[in-house]
Amino acid sequence: MGLRRHPARAPLATHLRGVCACGWRGTGLHPIDWSRVEEERPYDTEIPGPHADWQDHIEHVEARTVPVPAELDALVAELDMRLRSLADDAPLAALRVVAVLERLVGRVGMVAAFHTRADEVPWESVGRALGLTEQEARSRVASYRYRS
């Protein structure tokens, strides 16, 4: 990612690349048009190139992974939309819901991780099902199993 200097401020990025929470990093660099970035809410600016690269990555990962039931997938998408809106309108309420979800994820993740290991699912299969490498899968499952 290149940098340019803004008068009287820290350097500004000149390009972006797509990234994913799984560790994937896109190879394409996409220029930033700073004239289109809203100064008060720069995080709301959409730069289509990195997002398209990420979408392509997600499609490839989802094609290799265990499918999620359609009704649960729709529920998660609805929750995402509502939480984004709540974060704008009532950020403290959004943080409260996020805390509840973190506890829920911890509990469900621990049970799912336990069953994955109790059923002796091979690590290669776990990785493929999650769209991760075997090592990343081991780390992810351990993070749920040993969460306090």
Side-chain angles (χ1 to χ4, degrees), residues 73-133:
D73 200 35
L75 186 60
V76 169
E78 175 75 12
L79 181 60
D80 178 44
M81 184 186 70
R82 288 183 181 220
L83 277 175
R84 286 173 189 252
S85 177
L86 187 60
D88 285 339
D89 299 339
L92 292 177
L95 287 173
R96 184 170 178 196
V97 174
V98 167
V100 169
L101 289 172
E102 286 172 341
R103 289 190 298 274
L104 174 67
V105 165
R107 285 193 311 270
V108 174
M110 191 181 308
V111 171
F114 173 80
H115 287 303
T116 297
R117 300 316 319 137
D119 294 344
E120 298 181 8
V121 178
W123 285 113
E124 182 181 339
S125 298
V126 174
R128 191 172 38 256
L130 299 177
L132 303 171
T133 67

Short mmCIF file of all heavy atoms in Angstrom, two decimals, residues 73-133:
data_model
loop_
_atom_site.label_atom_id
_atom_site.label_comp_id
_atom_site.label_asym_id
_atom_site.label_seq_id
_atom_site.Cartn_x
_atom_site.Cartn_y
_atom_site.Cartn_z
N ASP A 73 -28.47 -18.70 7.52
CA ASP A 73 -27.71 -17.74 6.71
C ASP A 73 -28.49 -16.43 6.57
O ASP A 73 -27.95 -15.34 6.73
CB ASP A 73 -27.40 -18.35 5.34
CG ASP A 73 -26.26 -17.66 4.64
OD1 ASP A 73 -25.30 -17.23 5.32
OD2 ASP A 73 -26.32 -17.57 3.41
N ALA A 74 -29.78 -16.54 6.30
CA ALA A 74 -30.64 -15.35 6.17
C ALA A 74 -30.75 -14.61 7.50
O ALA A 74 -30.73 -13.38 7.54
CB ALA A 74 -32.02 -15.75 5.66
N LEU A 75 -30.85 -15.35 8.59
CA LEU A 75 -30.94 -14.74 9.91
C LEU A 75 -29.66 -13.97 10.25
O LEU A 75 -29.73 -12.84 10.76
CB LEU A 75 -31.20 -15.83 10.96
CG LEU A 75 -31.45 -15.37 12.39
CD1 LEU A 75 -32.67 -14.47 12.48
CD2 LEU A 75 -31.62 -16.59 13.28
N VAL A 76 -28.51 -14.53 9.93
CA VAL A 76 -27.25 -13.85 10.18
C VAL A 76 -27.15 -12.58 9.33
O VAL A 76 -26.71 -11.53 9.82
CB VAL A 76 -26.05 -14.80 9.93
CG1 VAL A 76 -24.74 -14.04 9.93
CG2 VAL A 76 -26.03 -15.91 10.97
N ALA A 77 -27.57 -12.65 8.07
CA ALA A 77 -27.54 -11.47 7.20
C ALA A 77 -28.46 -10.38 7.75
O ALA A 77 -28.10 -9.19 7.76
CB ALA A 77 -27.95 -11.85 5.78
N GLU A 78 -29.63 -10.76 8.23
CA GLU A 78 -30.57 -9.80 8.83
C GLU A 78 -29.98 -9.18 10.09
O GLU A 78 -30.07 -7.97 10.31
CB GLU A 78 -31.89 -10.50 9.16
CG GLU A 78 -32.90 -9.65 9.90
CD GLU A 78 -33.59 -8.62 9.03
OE1 GLU A 78 -33.48 -8.69 7.80
OE2 GLU A 78 -34.25 -7.73 9.60
N LEU A 79 -29.35 -10.01 10.93
CA LEU A 79 -28.73 -9.52 12.15
C LEU A 79 -27.61 -8.53 11.82
O LEU A 79 -27.50 -7.48 12.46
CB LEU A 79 -28.18 -10.70 12.96
CG LEU A 79 -27.52 -10.37 14.29
CD1 LEU A 79 -28.49 -9.68 15.23
CD2 LEU A 79 -26.97 -11.64 14.92
N ASP A 80 -26.83 -8.84 10.82
CA ASP A 80 -25.75 -7.94 10.39
C ASP A 80 -26.32 -6.59 9.99
O ASP A 80 -25.83 -5.55 10.45
CB ASP A 80 -24.99 -8.58 9.23
CG ASP A 80 -23.88 -7.69 8.70
OD1 ASP A 80 -23.13 -7.10 9.51
OD2 ASP A 80 -23.76 -7.59 7.47
N MET A 81 -27.34 -6.59 9.17
CA MET A 81 -27.95 -5.34 8.71
C MET A 81 -28.51 -4.52 9.88
O MET A 81 -28.27 -3.32 9.99
CB MET A 81 -29.07 -5.63 7.70
CG MET A 81 -29.69 -4.39 7.11
SD MET A 81 -31.11 -4.75 6.08
CE MET A 81 -32.30 -5.27 7.31
N ARG A 82 -29.21 -5.20 10.78
CA ARG A 82 -29.81 -4.49 11.92
C ARG A 82 -28.76 -3.96 12.89
O ARG A 82 -28.90 -2.86 13.44
CB ARG A 82 -30.79 -5.40 12.64
CG ARG A 82 -32.06 -5.61 11.85
CD ARG A 82 -33.03 -6.45 12.62
NE ARG A 82 -34.23 -6.66 11.85
CZ ARG A 82 -35.44 -6.64 12.38
NH1 ARG A 82 -35.60 -6.42 13.66
NH2 ARG A 82 -36.48 -6.85 11.62
N LEU A 83 -27.71 -4.73 13.10
CA LEU A 83 -26.66 -4.27 14.02
C LEU A 83 -25.89 -3.09 13.44
O LEU A 83 -25.50 -2.18 14.18
CB LEU A 83 -25.70 -5.40 14.36
CG LEU A 83 -26.17 -6.32 15.48
CD1 LEU A 83 -25.19 -7.48 15.65
CD2 LEU A 83 -26.33 -5.56 16.78
N ARG A 84 -25.66 -3.08 12.14
CA ARG A 84 -24.99 -1.93 11.52
C ARG A 84 -25.84 -0.67 11.71
O ARG A 84 -25.31 0.39 12.04
CB ARG A 84 -24.77 -2.17 10.03
CG ARG A 84 -23.68 -3.15 9.73
CD ARG A 84 -23.67 -3.45 8.23
NE ARG A 84 -22.78 -4.52 7.93
CZ ARG A 84 -21.62 -4.36 7.31
NH1 ARG A 84 -21.23 -3.15 6.94
NH2 ARG A 84 -20.86 -5.39 7.05
N SER A 85 -27.13 -0.81 11.52
CA SER A 85 -28.04 0.33 11.71
C SER A 85 -28.05 0.77 13.18
O SER A 85 -28.00 1.96 13.48
CB SER A 85 -29.44 -0.06 11.25
OG SER A 85 -30.33 0.99 11.47
N LEU A 86 -28.11 -0.21 14.08
CA LEU A 86 -28.12 0.11 15.51
C LEU A 86 -26.82 0.79 15.92
O LEU A 86 -26.84 1.71 16.74
CB LEU A 86 -28.34 -1.18 16.32
CG LEU A 86 -28.55 -1.01 17.82
CD1 LEU A 86 -29.79 -0.16 18.11
CD2 LEU A 86 -28.66 -2.38 18.48
N ALA A 87 -25.70 0.36 15.35
CA ALA A 87 -24.41 0.97 15.68
C ALA A 87 -24.39 2.46 15.31
O ALA A 87 -23.79 3.27 16.00
CB ALA A 87 -23.27 0.24 14.97
N ASP A 88 -25.08 2.81 14.22
CA ASP A 88 -25.17 4.22 13.82
C ASP A 88 -26.14 5.00 14.72
O ASP A 88 -25.85 6.11 15.12
CB ASP A 88 -25.67 4.33 12.37
CG ASP A 88 -24.60 3.96 11.36
OD1 ASP A 88 -23.40 4.01 11.70
OD2 ASP A 88 -24.99 3.62 10.22
N ASP A 89 -27.28 4.38 15.04
CA ASP A 89 -28.34 5.08 15.77
C ASP A 89 -28.18 5.03 17.29
O ASP A 89 -28.51 6.00 17.98
CB ASP A 89 -29.70 4.49 15.40
CG ASP A 89 -30.02 4.64 13.92
OD1 ASP A 89 -29.43 5.51 13.27
OD2 ASP A 89 -30.86 3.86 13.43
N ALA A 90 -27.72 3.91 17.81
CA ALA A 90 -27.61 3.73 19.26
C ALA A 90 -26.38 2.86 19.55
O ALA A 90 -26.49 1.66 19.83
CB ALA A 90 -28.87 3.07 19.81
N PRO A 91 -25.19 3.45 19.46
CA PRO A 91 -23.97 2.66 19.58
C PRO A 91 -23.83 1.87 20.88
O PRO A 91 -23.32 0.75 20.87
CB PRO A 91 -22.84 3.68 19.43
CG PRO A 91 -23.47 5.02 19.47
CD PRO A 91 -24.92 4.87 19.24
N LEU A 92 -24.32 2.40 22.00
CA LEU A 92 -24.22 1.66 23.26
C LEU A 92 -25.11 0.43 23.25
O LEU A 92 -24.72 -0.63 23.75
CB LEU A 92 -24.54 2.56 24.45
CG LEU A 92 -23.51 3.66 24.72
CD1 LEU A 92 -23.97 4.54 25.88
CD2 LEU A 92 -22.14 3.05 25.00
N ALA A 93 -26.29 0.55 22.67
CA ALA A 93 -27.17 -0.61 22.53
C ALA A 93 -26.52 -1.65 21.63
O ALA A 93 -26.58 -2.86 21.90
CB ALA A 93 -28.53 -0.19 21.98
N ALA A 94 -25.88 -1.20 20.56
CA ALA A 94 -25.19 -2.13 19.65
C ALA A 94 -24.07 -2.85 20.39
O ALA A 94 -23.90 -4.07 20.24
CB ALA A 94 -24.64 -1.38 18.44
N LEU A 95 -23.31 -2.14 21.21
CA LEU A 95 -22.24 -2.78 21.96
C LEU A 95 -22.79 -3.80 22.96
O LEU A 95 -22.17 -4.85 23.19
CB LEU A 95 -21.40 -1.72 22.69
CG LEU A 95 -20.49 -0.89 21.79
CD1 LEU A 95 -19.84 0.23 22.59
CD2 LEU A 95 -19.43 -1.77 21.14
N ARG A 96 -23.93 -3.50 23.52
CA ARG A 96 -24.56 -4.45 24.46
C ARG A 96 -24.93 -5.74 23.72
O ARG A 96 -24.70 -6.84 24.21
CB ARG A 96 -25.78 -3.82 25.10
CG ARG A 96 -26.40 -4.71 26.13
CD ARG A 96 -27.44 -4.00 26.93
NE ARG A 96 -28.03 -4.93 27.88
CZ ARG A 96 -29.15 -4.71 28.50
NH1 ARG A 96 -29.80 -3.59 28.31
NH2 ARG A 96 -29.62 -5.60 29.33
N VAL A 97 -25.51 -5.60 22.52
CA VAL A 97 -25.87 -6.78 21.72
C VAL A 97 -24.62 -7.54 21.31
O VAL A 97 -24.58 -8.78 21.36
CB VAL A 97 -26.71 -6.39 20.48
CG1 VAL A 97 -26.95 -7.59 19.58
CG2 VAL A 97 -28.04 -5.78 20.91
N VAL A 98 -23.57 -6.83 20.94
CA VAL A 98 -22.31 -7.47 20.56
C VAL A 98 -21.77 -8.30 21.74
O VAL A 98 -21.30 -9.43 21.54
CB VAL A 98 -21.28 -6.43 20.08
CG1 VAL A 98 -19.89 -7.02 20.00
CG2 VAL A 98 -21.70 -5.86 18.74
N ALA A 99 -21.85 -7.78 22.94
CA ALA A 99 -21.38 -8.52 24.12
C ALA A 99 -22.19 -9.81 24.30
O ALA A 99 -21.63 -10.87 24.60
CB ALA A 99 -21.47 -7.65 25.37
N VAL A 100 -23.50 -9.72 24.11
CA VAL A 100 -24.36 -10.91 24.22
C VAL A 100 -23.96 -11.93 23.14
O VAL A 100 -23.85 -13.12 23.42
CB VAL A 100 -25.85 -10.52 24.08
CG1 VAL A 100 -26.73 -11.75 23.92
CG2 VAL A 100 -26.29 -9.69 25.27
N LEU A 101 -23.73 -11.44 21.92
CA LEU A 101 -23.35 -12.34 20.83
C LEU A 101 -21.99 -12.99 21.09
O LEU A 101 -21.79 -14.16 20.77
CB LEU A 101 -23.33 -11.59 19.50
CG LEU A 101 -24.70 -11.21 18.96
CD1 LEU A 101 -24.55 -10.30 17.75
CD2 LEU A 101 -25.51 -12.44 18.62
N GLU A 102 -21.05 -12.23 21.67
CA GLU A 102 -19.74 -12.81 21.98
C GLU A 102 -19.88 -13.96 22.98
O GLU A 102 -19.23 -14.99 22.83
CB GLU A 102 -18.80 -11.73 22.53
CG GLU A 102 -18.31 -10.79 21.47
CD GLU A 102 -17.53 -9.61 22.04
OE1 GLU A 102 -17.65 -9.31 23.25
OE2 GLU A 102 -16.80 -8.98 21.25
N ARG A 103 -20.74 -13.79 23.98
CA ARG A 103 -20.96 -14.88 24.95
C ARG A 103 -21.62 -16.07 24.27
O ARG A 103 -21.23 -17.21 24.50
CB ARG A 103 -21.79 -14.38 26.12
CG ARG A 103 -21.04 -13.42 27.04
CD ARG A 103 -21.78 -13.12 28.33
NE ARG A 103 -23.05 -12.46 28.14
CZ ARG A 103 -23.22 -11.14 28.02
NH1 ARG A 103 -22.19 -10.34 28.07
NH2 ARG A 103 -24.43 -10.63 27.86
N LEU A 104 -22.58 -15.80 23.39
CA LEU A 104 -23.26 -16.86 22.65
C LEU A 104 -22.28 -17.62 21.77
O LEU A 104 -22.25 -18.85 21.77
CB LEU A 104 -24.39 -16.26 21.80
CG LEU A 104 -25.10 -17.22 20.86
CD1 LEU A 104 -25.89 -18.25 21.65
CD2 LEU A 104 -26.02 -16.45 19.93
N VAL A 105 -21.46 -16.89 21.04
CA VAL A 105 -20.46 -17.51 20.17
C VAL A 105 -19.50 -18.36 21.00
O VAL A 105 -19.15 -19.48 20.59
CB VAL A 105 -19.70 -16.43 19.36
CG1 VAL A 105 -18.44 -16.99 18.73
CG2 VAL A 105 -20.61 -15.83 18.31
N GLY A 106 -19.10 -17.86 22.13
CA GLY A 106 -18.20 -18.62 23.00
C GLY A 106 -18.81 -19.94 23.44
O GLY A 106 -18.17 -20.99 23.37
N ARG A 107 -20.07 -19.89 23.89
CA ARG A 107 -20.74 -21.12 24.36
C ARG A 107 -20.95 -22.11 23.22
O ARG A 107 -20.61 -23.29 23.34
CB ARG A 107 -22.10 -20.78 24.99
CG ARG A 107 -22.02 -20.17 26.36
CD ARG A 107 -23.37 -20.14 27.05
NE ARG A 107 -24.45 -19.61 26.25
CZ ARG A 107 -24.82 -18.32 26.21
NH1 ARG A 107 -24.17 -17.43 26.94
NH2 ARG A 107 -25.84 -17.93 25.47
N VAL A 108 -21.51 -21.65 22.11
CA VAL A 108 -21.79 -22.54 20.99
C VAL A 108 -20.49 -23.04 20.36
O VAL A 108 -20.37 -24.22 20.01
CB VAL A 108 -22.69 -21.85 19.94
CG1 VAL A 108 -22.86 -22.71 18.70
CG2 VAL A 108 -24.04 -21.51 20.56
N GLY A 109 -19.51 -22.16 20.24
CA GLY A 109 -18.23 -22.56 19.68
C GLY A 109 -17.56 -23.64 20.52
O GLY A 109 -16.98 -24.59 19.98
N MET A 110 -17.65 -23.52 21.84
CA MET A 110 -17.05 -24.51 22.73
C MET A 110 -17.71 -25.88 22.53
O MET A 110 -17.03 -26.90 22.43
CB MET A 110 -17.18 -24.06 24.19
CG MET A 110 -16.36 -24.89 25.15
SD MET A 110 -16.52 -24.39 26.88
CE MET A 110 -16.17 -22.65 26.79
N VAL A 111 -19.03 -25.90 22.46
CA VAL A 111 -19.75 -27.17 22.27
C VAL A 111 -19.42 -27.77 20.90
O VAL A 111 -19.12 -28.97 20.79
CB VAL A 111 -21.28 -26.96 22.42
CG1 VAL A 111 -22.04 -28.19 22.01
CG2 VAL A 111 -21.61 -26.57 23.86
N ALA A 112 -19.44 -26.95 19.85
CA ALA A 112 -19.14 -27.45 18.51
C ALA A 112 -17.70 -27.96 18.43
O ALA A 112 -17.44 -29.02 17.82
CB ALA A 112 -19.39 -26.36 17.47
N ALA A 113 -16.77 -27.25 19.03
CA ALA A 113 -15.37 -27.67 19.02
C ALA A 113 -15.21 -28.99 19.77
O ALA A 113 -14.48 -29.88 19.33
CB ALA A 113 -14.48 -26.58 19.63
N PHE A 114 -15.90 -29.12 20.90
CA PHE A 114 -15.83 -30.36 21.66
C PHE A 114 -16.34 -31.53 20.82
O PHE A 114 -15.70 -32.58 20.76
CB PHE A 114 -16.65 -30.24 22.96
CG PHE A 114 -16.74 -31.54 23.70
CD1 PHE A 114 -15.68 -31.97 24.50
CD2 PHE A 114 -17.86 -32.34 23.59
CE1 PHE A 114 -15.75 -33.19 25.17
CE2 PHE A 114 -17.95 -33.56 24.26
CZ PHE A 114 -16.90 -33.98 25.05
N HIS A 115 -17.48 -31.36 20.16
CA HIS A 115 -18.04 -32.45 19.36
C HIS A 115 -17.16 -32.78 18.16
O HIS A 115 -17.05 -33.94 17.77
CB HIS A 115 -19.46 -32.12 18.91
CG HIS A 115 -20.46 -32.21 20.02
ND1 HIS A 115 -20.66 -33.35 20.77
CD2 HIS A 115 -21.30 -31.29 20.53
CE1 HIS A 115 -21.58 -33.13 21.67
NE2 HIS A 115 -21.99 -31.88 21.57
N THR A 116 -16.56 -31.75 17.58
CA THR A 116 -15.65 -31.99 16.45
C THR A 116 -14.51 -32.91 16.89
O THR A 116 -14.16 -33.86 16.19
CB THR A 116 -15.09 -30.66 15.93
OG1 THR A 116 -16.16 -29.86 15.45
CG2 THR A 116 -14.09 -30.87 14.81
N ARG A 117 -13.95 -32.64 18.05
CA ARG A 117 -12.83 -33.47 18.52
C ARG A 117 -13.34 -34.80 19.06
O ARG A 117 -12.70 -35.83 18.87
CB ARG A 117 -12.03 -32.73 19.60
CG ARG A 117 -11.41 -31.43 19.15
CD ARG A 117 -10.71 -31.40 17.78
NE ARG A 117 -9.91 -32.54 17.45
CZ ARG A 117 -9.91 -33.13 16.25
NH1 ARG A 117 -10.67 -32.70 15.28
NH2 ARG A 117 -9.16 -34.17 16.02
N ALA A 118 -14.49 -34.82 19.74
CA ALA A 118 -15.03 -36.08 20.27
C ALA A 118 -15.37 -37.04 19.13
O ALA A 118 -15.22 -38.25 19.27
CB ALA A 118 -16.26 -35.81 21.13
N ASP A 119 -15.83 -36.50 18.01
CA ASP A 119 -16.16 -37.33 16.84
C ASP A 119 -14.92 -37.68 16.03
O ASP A 119 -15.01 -38.36 15.01
CB ASP A 119 -17.16 -36.60 15.94
CG ASP A 119 -18.52 -36.41 16.61
OD1 ASP A 119 -18.79 -37.08 17.63
OD2 ASP A 119 -19.30 -35.58 16.11
N GLU A 120 -13.76 -37.18 16.49
CA GLU A 120 -12.47 -37.43 15.84
C GLU A 120 -12.48 -37.08 14.35
O GLU A 120 -11.97 -37.82 13.51
CB GLU A 120 -12.03 -38.88 16.07
CG GLU A 120 -11.81 -39.18 17.54
CD GLU A 120 -11.33 -40.60 17.80
OE1 GLU A 120 -11.02 -41.32 16.84
OE2 GLU A 120 -11.29 -40.97 18.98
N VAL A 121 -13.06 -35.94 14.03
CA VAL A 121 -13.05 -35.46 12.65
C VAL A 121 -11.60 -35.11 12.30
O VAL A 121 -10.95 -34.38 13.04
CB VAL A 121 -13.96 -34.21 12.49
CG1 VAL A 121 -13.92 -33.69 11.07
CG2 VAL A 121 -15.39 -34.55 12.91
N PRO A 122 -11.07 -35.64 11.19
CA PRO A 122 -9.67 -35.34 10.83
C PRO A 122 -9.46 -33.84 10.61
O PRO A 122 -10.34 -33.15 10.08
CB PRO A 122 -9.46 -36.10 9.52
CG PRO A 122 -10.55 -37.12 9.47
CD PRO A 122 -11.70 -36.56 10.26
N TRP A 123 -8.30 -33.34 11.03
CA TRP A 123 -8.01 -31.91 10.91
C TRP A 123 -8.10 -31.43 9.48
O TRP A 123 -8.53 -30.31 9.21
CB TRP A 123 -6.64 -31.59 11.51
CG TRP A 123 -6.67 -31.60 13.00
CD1 TRP A 123 -6.04 -32.48 13.83
CD2 TRP A 123 -7.39 -30.71 13.85
NE1 TRP A 123 -6.32 -32.19 15.14
CE2 TRP A 123 -7.15 -31.09 15.17
CE3 TRP A 123 -8.23 -29.62 13.62
CZ2 TRP A 123 -7.69 -30.43 16.27
CZ3 TRP A 123 -8.76 -28.94 14.70
CH2 TRP A 123 -8.50 -29.36 16.01
N GLU A 124 -7.70 -32.25 8.55
CA GLU A 124 -7.80 -31.86 7.14
C GLU A 124 -9.25 -31.60 6.76
O GLU A 124 -9.57 -30.63 6.07
CB GLU A 124 -7.21 -32.96 6.25
CG GLU A 124 -7.24 -32.61 4.78
CD GLU A 124 -6.69 -33.74 3.92
OE1 GLU A 124 -5.93 -34.58 4.43
OE2 GLU A 124 -7.03 -33.75 2.73
N SER A 125 -10.17 -32.43 7.25
CA SER A 125 -11.60 -32.25 6.98
C SER A 125 -12.15 -31.01 7.67
O SER A 125 -12.97 -30.28 7.11
CB SER A 125 -12.39 -33.48 7.43
OG SER A 125 -11.98 -34.62 6.72
N VAL A 126 -11.69 -30.77 8.89
CA VAL A 126 -12.13 -29.58 9.62
C VAL A 126 -11.70 -28.33 8.85
O VAL A 126 -12.48 -27.41 8.64
CB VAL A 126 -11.57 -29.55 11.07
CG1 VAL A 126 -11.92 -28.24 11.77
CG2 VAL A 126 -12.09 -30.74 11.87
N GLY A 127 -10.45 -28.31 8.43
CA GLY A 127 -9.94 -27.17 7.66
C GLY A 127 -10.72 -26.95 6.39
O GLY A 127 -11.14 -25.83 6.08
N ARG A 128 -10.96 -28.02 5.64
CA ARG A 128 -11.71 -27.91 4.38
C ARG A 128 -13.13 -27.40 4.65
O ARG A 128 -13.63 -26.54 3.95
CB ARG A 128 -11.72 -29.25 3.67
CG ARG A 128 -12.23 -29.20 2.25
CD ARG A 128 -12.07 -30.49 1.47
NE ARG A 128 -12.31 -31.72 2.22
CZ ARG A 128 -11.34 -32.53 2.66
NH1 ARG A 128 -10.08 -32.26 2.43
NH2 ARG A 128 -11.64 -33.63 3.33
N ALA A 129 -13.77 -27.91 5.70
CA ALA A 129 -15.14 -27.52 6.03
C ALA A 129 -15.24 -26.05 6.40
O ALA A 129 -16.24 -25.39 6.12
CB ALA A 129 -15.68 -28.37 7.17
N LEU A 130 -14.17 -25.52 7.02
CA LEU A 130 -14.17 -24.12 7.45
C LEU A 130 -13.53 -23.19 6.43
O LEU A 130 -13.49 -21.98 6.64
CB LEU A 130 -13.44 -23.99 8.80
CG LEU A 130 -14.05 -24.77 9.97
CD1 LEU A 130 -13.18 -24.62 11.20
CD2 LEU A 130 -15.46 -24.33 10.23
N GLY A 131 -12.98 -23.76 5.36
CA GLY A 131 -12.31 -22.93 4.36
C GLY A 131 -10.96 -22.43 4.85
O GLY A 131 -10.52 -21.35 4.48
N LEU A 132 -10.30 -23.24 5.71
CA LEU A 132 -9.03 -22.86 6.31
C LEU A 132 -8.00 -23.94 6.03
O LEU A 132 -8.34 -25.06 5.66
CB LEU A 132 -9.19 -22.72 7.83
CG LEU A 132 -10.23 -21.73 8.35
CD1 LEU A 132 -10.39 -21.89 9.86
CD2 LEU A 132 -9.84 -20.32 7.99
N THR A 133 -6.74 -23.60 6.28
CA THR A 133 -5.70 -24.63 6.24
C THR A 133 -5.87 -25.50 7.49
O THR A 133 -6.57 -25.13 8.45
CB THR A 133 -4.29 -24.01 6.26
OG1 THR A 133 -4.08 -23.38 7.53
CG2 THR A 133 -4.10 -23.01 5.11
#
